[in-house]
Amino acid sequence: MMLKDGLRVLDTAGFSLLELESNMEPITLKDYYPEFAPYEGECRFTPCYHDREPGCAVTCACEEGAIPLPRLERYRTLLGEVKQTWRERYD
């Protein structure tokens, strides 16, 4: 992940280049993963970060093969980075 003109720039499968704001709220990252959309509102907790919470419909869909595991793993890696940046936004 690079920083370009104050925006986070990511390289993800299915996108040639994706830019995220450096102050992005972690919960909004899921919106960049259209394969998660069918499971919106199906998780046990709301909001759900789809990061190993019990009863997560996205995790279940991945276990059933509906979402490729590498996609979920990449999302979780990016989520960790976005959460870290969010925590440090006022430093």
Side-chain angles (χ1 to χ4, degrees):
M1 185 175 297
M2 306 178 300
L3 199 58
K4 178 182 173 187
D5 300 325
L7 298 176
R8 292 176 146 265
V9 179
L10 345 157
D11 184 12
T12 61
F15 296 93
S16 57
L17 195 60
L18 179 64
E19 293 185 3
L20 300 176
E21 295 179 30
S22 58
N23 62 349
M24 169 189 241
E25 290 186 47
I27 196 64
T28 63
L29 180 64
K30 65 181 174 45
D31 299 336
Y32 289 88
Y33 287 76
E35 62 270 31
F36 294 1
Y39 308 100
E40 190 71 29
E42 299 297 319
C43 298
R44 180 176 171 189
F45 298 104
T46 302
C48 184
Y49 287 89
H50 313 309
D51 188 27
R52 299 172 191 83
E53 295 94 338
C56 175
V58 169
T59 299
C60 184
C62 183
E63 290 169 354
E64 293 172 354
I67 295 174
L69 179 59
R71 266 306 261 175
L72 184 57
E73 289 173 341
R74 179 68 177 144
Y75 163 80
R76 287 176 174 167
T77 298
L78 293 174
L79 180 63
E81 293 176 18
V82 171
K83 282 181 174 181
Q84 183 64 35
T85 301
W86 182 255
R87 282 191 295 270
E88 296 171 350
R89 69 189 180 277
Y90 297 119
D91 290 346

